[in-house]
Amino acid sequence: MSLVIRRIAIENFRKFRDPFTIDNLTDGLNIIIEPNETGKSTLMEALRAAFFVRHNTQNQLAKSYAPRGDSVAPKVEIDFAIDGAEWSLRKRFLKSASIDVEGPQGRAQGDEAEALLNTLLGSVRDTSRAGDVSTYGALGLLWVAQMDALEIRAPGAIVRDTITASLEAEVGSIMGGEAYRKVRERVDAQYELYWTPTGVKKGRQVEALRRFEVAVTASAEADDKVAQLERSFGELDVCRQRLSVLLREMADQTDSQIRADLVSSLEVARMAAQLLATRQAENEVAAGRLAKLEDIQGRHDAAVVTREKAAKALQDARTLRATSRERVTAGQSKVAEARLAVIEAQAANQRSADAYWKGSENHKEQQLQDAAAAARQRYGELIGLEAELEAMKRVELGAIPSDKLATLEVNERAVVEARARLDAGAAHVTLSGNAEGVMIDGEHMAPGTRALTRTTQIRLGDAELVITPPASAASAEKLLAEAVSKQNDALSALGVTDLAAARERTIAAREASADIRTLMARIAAASPADDRIGLAAGADALKLFVSLQKEPAARVDHGAVDLAKLKQQLEVDATALARAEGVVQSAIEDLRKCEAEEAPRATAEALAQNDLTAVQNAIANIQAHPDWVGLADALSSARQRSAEAAIQLDAAMRNATAHDVADINRKIATIDARARAAADQKTDLEKDIARLEATIDSEGGRGLAEQAAAARDELDASRAALQRVTDDANIIMLLRNTLEEARNETSARFAGPVARRAKGYIERLLPGCELAFSDSMALESIIRAGTEEQSDSLSRGTQEQLAILTRIAFADMLRDQGKPISLILDDPLVYSDDARLDTMIDILREAASQMQVILLTCRDRAFRHVAGNRVRLGS
């Protein structure tokens, strides 16, 4: 059963913002050849959207139909026929989404229309976000989008089931057929009670497992409560024992006596610490005084050494700078001389440039004068040629059309034939000798032969001769008169005297045409372009130039201009200028080097002078210090005082170490903390004892042992139920897997008939090759010359060709099952060579005799010769 698309109309669909319609599609082969970016692939998407995408979906695919940047409702309308029955489909997406399907059975809208479409086309509802072609049924396999044909894919589940059903009788199996589906549906129904489609536990298994987990939790809680009660008795005995021991320890007075002794020794330790602080302050004062005096002495000694070094550095810097200053002066003189030479070279170069410019202007003026004179001379030649051309055109216009010339020739033949007929049927009279007195029909008869076509009277003196010719002579004369009249009218209309003149005029017109072409070439040669005066090529440009020219002025002779000599002199002077400028640059560079050498030396001299001044100021400041006078005696006294303070500090430190206040305080704090901890522990133990006694009183009368026994019984029952459910689930899964394995084994037998049908097409492309299909009916490999080649290792062109041929084979089987089929290929056979392309086109033409085939391509040359219905996307 064939699906034939009659008409497609789309609006607001991607690049087709304005309404667009194709309404001349036919049953057989339809070819749409358009350049890239004209909407061929969009047309394919519109067909898929209309037939397979739900009108009210808001998924990503539907949103992509709206033109970019527009908030509109994409619309698609299709008129099509299935098995001769005419249908129409109207679908609108996104805004006010709607669908309307009308056919022999009436009209449907909304979800009913979508269901009707699925039934008509053998498809199922597509719930994916980006479009799943496997849900489109047979048309999902046979409508091949751009680049999809490059991959050899297995048909979807819908197509496989349909083909399997058609092959059941052929392979002698019910696996995959109606009987298999009934068994499989029952097994799947039981399977869904226990497992998800991916093999994860659900339903009864989850309920049994949940019951078992609840029983485990309840049993564990009951056992835990019993164990907790038993632990409470043990903890109560332990707490009472610990409290008894703690009370005995708190009654011991040893820590109290030790604390009293530590408090009495704390005052002695404080007096030793105060004496140590005093000795430390005295030692710091003595050490500070000594350090200050030693610093003054050290700074003075260092400044004296630095002063001697700065004086020597200053002397060295002055010596070096004197040498570099002389080099800078010499460099400055050299730069001045070089700049003077540059000025002279610039003047000479300017004189040469002026002379060359003046010579160039004179030469250009002479060239313009020569070009204008040549143009005027060519203009004169052009006028003569154009006059001759007009004459030839007039001759050419006199050409007699071939049909009219043929008419003259026909008329001439008619006249000749009429004269011959007249001569054959007329009476001929010949008069010779003395013709005086001989009269014919009352007129004097001259010597010679005369043809008589009617009754004629000839008088010979007194005698009269009557000659009566045959009756046919009169009709022949009439025909001759008519032929002559017709010929004369035709000659008069053409303005010629006879046929020969007409032929001569035609020959002259033909020769004039050749002369015209020669004259046109001579005119083009006489009016060339001339860039010197801005003249474009062509006679009109030459005429315009001459008409705009004034009378030529008298030629001004500037004499012979030797531009080469002037240019040579300019180049010599330019070279001299460049050299002079180079000398200046070199001198400036040398001066910069000298200045660069002199700059750090000047800086060094300034820094040395600054360092010397700074150190002299530092020495003066040190010597102005109040402690400078008598510094040696003060240093000796300060060293002695510092030694005495150190001895006294050492003695104070020994006394303070023997009576450490911090250590005594730490020991007192430890005794106090131990007492507080004992009191806190006593309180906590009394609280725990009270809590445990209350717990034992409350929990002991609740029958925890009976509750634990009941929970264990429930646990055993739920464990047994879980095992039963698990066994049932595993059996169902095993049965389902066994059915699937049996189906896969049988699918291998289905591949044989599929391969035989596909081989009929592929044999024409790859003679002598064997095909191997997978369980999913995908072309897996081919065998050529005993060698197996995987399909994905073949060339891109071969893969594309095999993908199309297998689809045609599947289409044959689907047609046998009464499924609606048509073949649409978007940009097919892009990798095919010329020979295989011709073979594939022949196969597609044959397929078009069984179903509608639509080719969308941009390859005009490849499909230009293919006979079929040509469809245009543009106007």
Side-chain angles (χ1 to χ4, degrees), residues 438-480:
V438 179
M439 305 292 289
I440 184 169
D441 289 336
E443 295 180 357
H444 178 72
M445 182 176 180
T449 300
R450 177 178 296 188
L452 303 180
T453 60
R454 61 182 182 275
T455 300
T456 305
Q457 296 177 349
I458 300 175
R459 292 190 62 83
L460 300 173
D462 294 333
E464 184 179 60
L465 178 64
V466 178
I467 300 174
T468 302
S472 60
S475 62
E477 184 179 23
K478 183 177 179 181
L479 290 174
L480 175 61

Side-chain angles (χ1 to χ4, degrees), residues 288-489:
R289 174 64 177 170
L290 176 61
K292 179 179 179 183
L293 295 177
E294 288 178 343
D295 178 65
I296 293 172
Q297 183 64 51
R299 286 191 289 115
H300 184 269
D301 294 342
V304 170
V305 173
T306 302
R307 181 180 60 187
E308 294 174 355
K309 292 180 180 179
K312 186 177 182 306
L314 178 60
Q315 183 60 36
D316 294 341
R318 286 174 177 172
T319 302
L320 290 173
R321 188 181 180 192
T323 302
S324 61
R325 188 181 295 113
E326 293 177 359
R327 292 179 182 174
V328 169
T329 302
Q332 291 172 345
S333 299
K334 187 176 180 180
V335 168
E337 294 173 358
R339 284 176 174 166
L340 182 60
V342 167
I343 293 172
E344 294 176 354
Q346 287 174 341
N349 183 70
Q350 185 61 43
R351 288 192 297 271
S352 298
D354 293 342
Y356 179 74
W357 177 82
K358 183 175 181 182
S360 298
E361 291 296 318
N362 292 338
H363 180 73
K364 187 184 299 182
E365 183 177 353
Q366 290 178 1
Q367 291 291 317
L368 290 174
Q369 292 176 356
D370 294 342
R376 285 190 292 272
Q377 182 179 357
R378 292 196 303 275
Y379 174 75
E381 297 175 0
L382 175 64
I383 296 302
L385 291 172
E386 288 186 339
E388 190 175 351
L389 177 63
E390 289 299 323
M392 290 297 102
K393 287 182 177 179
R394 287 194 293 272
V395 174
E396 184 185 33
L397 292 175
I400 297 176
S402 58
D403 57 338
K404 294 184 177 180
L405 187 61
T407 301
L408 290 178
E409 291 175 347
V410 171
N411 293 341
E412 188 68 20
R413 282 195 299 272
V415 170
V416 172
E417 291 174 356
R419 282 201 177 101
R421 191 176 296 111
L422 179 63
D423 288 342
H428 293 81
V429 177
T430 301
L431 177 64
S432 60
N434 186 6
E436 185 177 356
V438 179
M439 305 292 289
I440 184 169
D441 289 336
E443 295 180 357
H444 178 72
M445 182 176 180
T449 300
R450 177 178 296 188
L452 303 180
T453 60
R454 61 182 182 275
T455 300
T456 305
Q457 296 177 349
I458 300 175
R459 292 190 62 83
L460 300 173
D462 294 333
E464 184 179 60
L465 178 64
V466 178
I467 300 174
T468 302
S472 60
S475 62
E477 184 179 23
K478 183 177 179 181
L479 290 174
L480 175 61
E482 292 176 354
V484 170
S485 176
K486 184 177 181 181
Q487 178 73 324
N488 290 338
D489 292 342

